[in-house]
C-alpha cells in the first residue's frame, strides 16, 4: 500500500481541489482528509457515513469548590495561566495534571475531553476516512493519526493499492502527523512570494523527515516570473515540478457545483491535473 | 485595541487584510502587527522591515541528573504527554512531546530533574516609522506553535493599535493567537469551502466570547451563500474585496494592496472605524 499526502505550507493553494480530482481519476484507492481543523473535502466527495465514533483525547482539570481550601498551590504551579481564583479556564488548560498532582486536599480531578468525531464513509469514488476536531480543541495531531489509521484499515480490508490524503496547511503538529511515514508528499504551491516562502519551509520539513516530494504550481500564469523561480528552486532541490495548472475560474465554478473540477470541465486545468496524477502515480511506484 | 485577523480556511486573504490595515493605520498612529502564523509567517514578505531584534524561543524540557536518579518512575507516571519513559535503569526523554508543564521536575522525589531549554523557534522584531512588526517563526520539524505565539504576544504594547495575523484552522494555535483580542475580523471567500470554514471560525470566536465581523475577499467568484449566512447569523460584513487580477498580481509580488493601489487606504481606514463602531455597540456577532 502506498500513501501520498497533499501539502502546501500556505493555505488556500488548492490542495483540496487537487485531491477531489485525484479521487475522480484514481482507481483502487482510499481517501483521507487530514485537515481535521477545517475539513472541506467532504463537500466534494459527499460521503455516506458508515461508521463513526467519538474522539476522546486529553483532559482538563476541574476543581471541587467544596473541598478546595483556597491554598493557591494549583495556581502557583500552573504554567498555562489556566487557573484564576481557584477555578480552571478549560481553554488554556493543557491537561498536564500538575495541579491535580500537587493539590493537598485532593480537590482537583482530571476530566477526559471529547475532542472531536471520526467517520468512515463510502463515496462514489471509494472509501473515505475523515474527522472533525471539536471547536478550539487540542490534539489535532492525534486525530490526524486516527484518520490515517482508519484509511489504512479501509485500504487493507478492501485490497486497495493507494491512500490519497488531503493535508492541513502549515508545518506544525497536524502536518507532521500527516506526513511521517507517508511514501510521497505532493506540494501544491502558487506563484506568490508568500507561496514560495511557505513552499520552502514545507520542502524543508519533507527533507527533515526524508519523505520524497513532488511539486505542482497552481495558478502558474498569475505570475510567470515567480513560477520560473519556483521551477529553479525545485531544480536546485532535486524536486520535480510535475504540473503547472493555469488560473481559471472553472475551479471555483466546479466547487460551487459540488464537483471535482476534472468532472466539471475538460479545460486545460483538467488536462494538467490528469498529468499530475500520472506523475504522482509514477513517483509513488508500488 | 487588539484586532485579530483569522479565517478558518487558509489562503482567503488574512495577510492581505492584516498588512493593509496596519499600513493604513500607521500613517497617523502607532501600530503593532503581530504575525502569529508562526508555522508560515508571511507579513514580513509584504512589509520588508529591517529586523532589529531576534530572540530565540525556548521551551523548558526535563534534564535528568543520572547521579541522583533512582529510576523510581514517578516522572514517567506524572507526564501525561508520554515525554518521559523509565525502562529499568534508563530514563528516556522525548523533548518534542514535552509541553514544559514542569510537573516531573517538581514531583521528582530525588530532585534529580532540572529544566533545560530547548530552542523551538524565534521571535523577530522590526520597525519603520509608526509601524512595528513582531513575528514568530517555528523551527522546521518542531510540533508546537503555541509557546511561540505566547512569546510574540508578550510584546504587545497597549499604547499601540495591535493587529494579530492568525494561522488558518480552529485548533490550539488559533485559540492561542486570538485569545485576549478585543475584536476578530474573519476573512473568507464566497465559496462552499470559505463558508464551511467561516462557520467553524465563528464557533471559535463565540466560544472565546470575542465580537467579530467578516471581510469577504474575491467577491465575484462563487456564490452568495456567505452573505446569506452572515445575514442569518447577524454578523456584519465590513469590507468586500473584489476578485481582480490586478489585486492578485500585486499580492503575488509581495506588494501590500494599499501600496499597490493607494485608493484602498480609505477602505481600510473605514474598516477600522467600522470595527470600532461594532465593538462599541457591543455586538457579539
Amino acid at each position: 500500500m502506498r500513501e501520498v499526502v497533499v501539502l502546501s505550507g500556505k493555505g488556500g493553494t488548492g490542495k483540496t481541489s487537487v485531491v477531489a480530482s485525484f479521487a475522480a481519476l484514481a482507481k483502487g484507492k482510499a481517501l483521507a482528509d487530514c485537515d481535521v481543523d477545517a475539513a472541506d473535502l467532504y463537500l466534494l466527495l459527499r460521503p455516506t457515513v458508515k461508521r463513526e465514533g467519538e474522539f476522546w483525547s486529553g483532559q482538563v482539570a476541574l476543581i471541587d469548590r467544596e473541598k478546595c481550601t483556597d491554598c493557591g498551590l494549583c495556581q502557583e504551579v500552573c504554567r498555562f495561566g489556566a487557573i484564576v481564583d481557584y477555578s480552571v479556564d478549560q481553554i488554556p488548560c493543557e491537561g498536564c495534571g500538575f495541579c491535580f498532582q500537587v493539590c493537598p486536599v485532593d480537590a482537583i480531578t482530571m476530566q477526559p475531553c471529547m475532542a472531536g468525531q471520526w467517520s468512515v464513509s463510502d463515496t462514489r469514488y471509494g472509501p473515505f476516512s475523515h474527522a472533525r476536531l471539536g471547536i478550539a480543541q487540542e490534539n489535532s495531531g492525534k486525530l490526524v493519526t486516527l484518520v490515517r489509521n482508519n484509511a489504512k484499515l479501509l485500504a487493507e480490508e478492501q485490497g486497495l493499492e493507494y491512500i490519497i490524503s488531503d493535508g492541513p496547511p502549515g508545518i506544525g503538529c497536524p502536518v507532521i502527523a500527516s506526513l511521517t511515514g507517508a511514501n510521497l508528499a505532493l506540494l501544491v504551491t502558487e506563484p506568490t512570494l508568500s507561496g514560495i516562502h511557505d513552499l520552502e519551509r514545507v520542502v524543508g520539513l519533507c527533507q527533515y523527515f526524508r519523505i520524497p516530494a513532488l511539486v505542482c504550481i497552481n495558478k502558474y500564469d498569475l505570475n510567470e516570473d515567480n513560477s520560473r523561480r519556483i521551477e529553479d528552486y525545485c531544480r536546485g532541490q532535486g524536486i520535480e515540478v510535475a504540473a503547472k495548472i493555469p488560473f481559471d475560474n472553472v475551479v471555483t465554478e466546479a466547487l460551487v457545483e459540488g464537483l471535482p473540477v476534472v468532472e466539471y470541465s475538460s479545460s486545460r486545468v483538467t488536462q494538467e491535473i490528469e498529468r499530475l496524477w500520472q506523475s504522482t502515480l509514477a513517483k509513488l511506484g508500488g | 485595541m487588539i484586532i485579530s485577523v483569522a479565517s478558518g480556511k487558509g489562503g482567503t486573504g488574512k495577510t492581505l487584510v492584516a498588512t493593509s490595515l496596519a499600513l493604513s493605520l500607521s500613517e497617523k498612529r502607532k501600530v503593532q502587527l503581530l504575525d502569529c502564523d508562526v508555522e508560515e509567517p508571511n507579513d514580513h514578505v509584504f512589509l520588508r522591515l529591517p529586523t532589529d531584534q531576534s530572540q530565540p524561543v525556548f521551551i523548558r524540557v526535563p534534564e535528568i541528573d543520572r547521579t541522583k536518579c533512582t529510576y523510581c518512575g514517578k516522572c514517567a507516571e506524572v507526564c501525561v504527554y508520554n515525554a518521559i519513559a523509565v525502562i529499568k535503569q534508563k530514563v528516556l526523554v522525548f523533548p518534542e512531546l514535552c509541553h514544559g508543564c514542569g510537573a516531573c521536575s517538581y514531583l521528582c522525589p530525588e530532585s534529580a530533574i532540572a529544566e533545560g531549554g530547548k530552542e523551538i523557534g524565534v521571535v523577530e522584531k522590526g520597525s519603520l516609522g509608526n509601524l512595528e512588526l513582531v513575528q514568530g517563526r517555528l523551527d522546521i520539524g518542531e510540533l508546537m506553535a503555541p509557546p511561540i505565539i505566547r512569546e510574540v504576544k508578550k510584546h504587545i504594547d497597549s499604547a499601540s493599535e495591535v493587529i494579530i495575523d492568525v494561522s488558518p484552522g480552529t485548533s490550539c494555535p488559533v485559540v492561542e493567537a486570538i485569545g485576549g483580542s478585543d475584536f476578530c475580523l474573519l476573512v473568507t471567500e464566497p465559496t462552499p469551502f470559505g463558508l464551511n470554514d467561516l462557520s467553524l471560525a465563528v464557533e471559535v470566536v463565540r466560544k472565546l466570547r470575542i465580537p467579530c465581523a467578516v471581510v469577504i475577499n474575491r467577491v465575484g467568484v462563487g456564490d452568495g451563500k456567505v452573505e446569506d449566512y452572515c445575514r442569518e447569523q447577524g454578523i456584519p460584513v465590513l469590507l468586500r474585496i473584489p476578485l481582480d487580477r490586478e489585486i492578485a498580481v500585486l499580492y503575488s509580488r509581495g506588494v501590500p494592496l494599499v501600496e499597490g493601489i493607494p485608493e484602498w487606504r480609505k477602505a481600510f481606514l473605514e474598516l477600522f472605524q467600522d470595527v470600532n463602531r461594532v465593538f462599541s455597540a457591543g455586538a457579539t456577532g
Side-chain angles (χ1 to χ4, degrees), chain B residues 42 55 68 74 90 95 108-110 181 194 215 224 231 235 240 263 276 284:
Chain B
N42 285 151
Q55 279 174 348
K68 291 185 185 166
K74 182 74 181 172
K90 244 187 182 164
C108 173
E110 312 298 333
S181 298
V215 173
R231 205 175 306 117
I235 303 170
R240 291 173 184 81
E263 296 78 62
N276 276 281
T284 49

Side-chain angles (χ1 to χ4, degrees), chain A residues 3-7 19 34 148 163-168 175 178-180 182-187 211 284:
Chain A
E3 183 182 11
V4 55
V5 57
V6 181
L7 297 173
V19 171
C34 293
R148 286 180 70 197
I163 295 172
I164 303 171
S165 299
D166 193 3
V175 175
S178 308
L179 179 65
T180 47
N183 302 97
L184 178 68
L186 170 60
L187 311 177
I211 311 284
L284 256 182

Side-chain angles (χ1 to χ4, degrees), chain A residues 1-6 15-16 18-34 41 45 125 127-129 147-148 151-152 155 160-167 178 182-184 186 277 280-281 284:
Chain A
M1 195 190 315
R2 315 284 292 166
E3 183 182 11
V4 55
V5 57
V6 181
K15 286 182 294 299
T16 304
V18 166
V19 171
S21 286
F22 279 8
L25 295 170
K27 306 248 180 316
K29 79 287 166 185
L31 298 150
D33 191 347
C34 293
L41 186 56
L45 300 187
Y125 309 103
F128 178 37
S129 167
V147 166
R148 286 180 70 197
K152 274 183 203 135
L160 303 169
E161 224 173 318
Y162 304 105
I163 295 172
I164 303 171
S165 299
D166 193 3
S178 308
N183 302 97
L184 178 68
L186 170 60
W277 171 242
T280 304
L281 209 51
L284 256 182

